[in-house]
């Protein structure tokens, strides 16, 4: 696990330095980013799509919170896509909704399961593509088994 974290940190640092060719660090936007599917790891019997069983980490942490920087101001979804591309994490964005992240899709644990974003400790009432990324934001992608009720979204 420590080797993975060290590798991930190195990649994040590379991502930070190479963000779209920007060289003026004053234009850089820094944010914290994480991916969590702990509700699945706590409820493995909820899995409907058996193909994901081996993809779910024991602790549910796909990417532990880390500081990231980008030269691109844009939406939270833009930052997520840029991060996933840099880290080679699979994703599928359908009209502003993240339907798949790290090969785990909406519906893999039942009809109300899927990815929700929490920004600065709150679940927004609009899609990640409608929220402008701000310096210092915390972006948490969390997998819900229950339309968000199980993770405090409602």
């Amino acid at each position: 696990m420590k080797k993975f974290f060290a590798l991930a940190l190195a990649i994040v640092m590379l991502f930070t330095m190479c963000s779209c060719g920007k060289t003026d660090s004053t234009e850089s936007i820094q944010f914290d980013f994480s991916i969590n599917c702990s509700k699945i790891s706590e409820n493995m019997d909820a899995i409907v799509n058996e193909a994901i069983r081996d993809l779910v980490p024991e602790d549910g942490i796909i990417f532990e919170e880390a500081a990231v920087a980008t030269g691109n101001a844009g939406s939270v979804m833009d930052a997520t896509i840029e991060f996933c591309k840099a880290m080679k994490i699979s994703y599928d964005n359908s009209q502003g909704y993240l339907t798949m992240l790290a090969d785990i899709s909406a519906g893999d644990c039942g009809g109300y399961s899927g990815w929700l974003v929490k920004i600065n400790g709150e679940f927004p009432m609009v899609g990640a593509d409608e929220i402008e990324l701000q310096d210092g934001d915390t972006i948490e992608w969390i997998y819900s088994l229950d339309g968000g009720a199980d993770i405090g979204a409602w």
Side-chain angles (χ1 to χ4, degrees), residues 23-88:
T23 57
D24 184 355
S25 63
T26 61
E27 294 182 33
S28 179
I29 293 177
Q30 296 183 355
F31 59 98
D32 291 333
F33 190 90
S34 65
I35 304 172
N36 179 331
C37 68
S38 61
K39 288 300 176 185
I40 301 175
S41 64
E42 295 167 5
N43 301 285
M44 294 296 280
D45 58 329
I47 293 174
V48 174
N49 177 4
E50 288 298 320
I52 71 162
R53 187 169 296 277
D54 292 335
L55 301 175
V56 178
E58 190 173 314
D59 64 358
I61 305 299
I62 294 172
F63 190 85
E64 191 164 4
E65 186 173 312
V68 181
T70 180
N72 286 338
S75 70
V76 167
M77 184 63 79
D78 293 336
T80 297
I81 290 170
E82 184 177 347
F83 179 84
C84 287
K85 285 179 180 178
M87 296 297 293
K88 298 188 181 350

Side-chain angles (χ1 to χ4, degrees), residues 35-41 46-49 52 60 62 97-101 103-117 123 140-148 150-151:
I35 304 172
N36 179 331
C37 68
S38 61
K39 288 300 176 185
I40 301 175
S41 64
I47 293 174
V48 174
N49 177 4
I52 71 162
I62 294 172
Y97 175 67
L98 203 60
T99 58
M100 187 264 293
L101 188 55
D103 293 321
I104 301 173
S105 297
D108 281 348
C109 294
Y112 296 108
S113 66
W115 291 102
L116 295 176
V117 67
F123 292 95
E140 303 170 76
W141 284 98
I142 305 170
Y143 196 89
S144 171
L145 303 178
D146 188 357
D150 59 332
I151 58 174

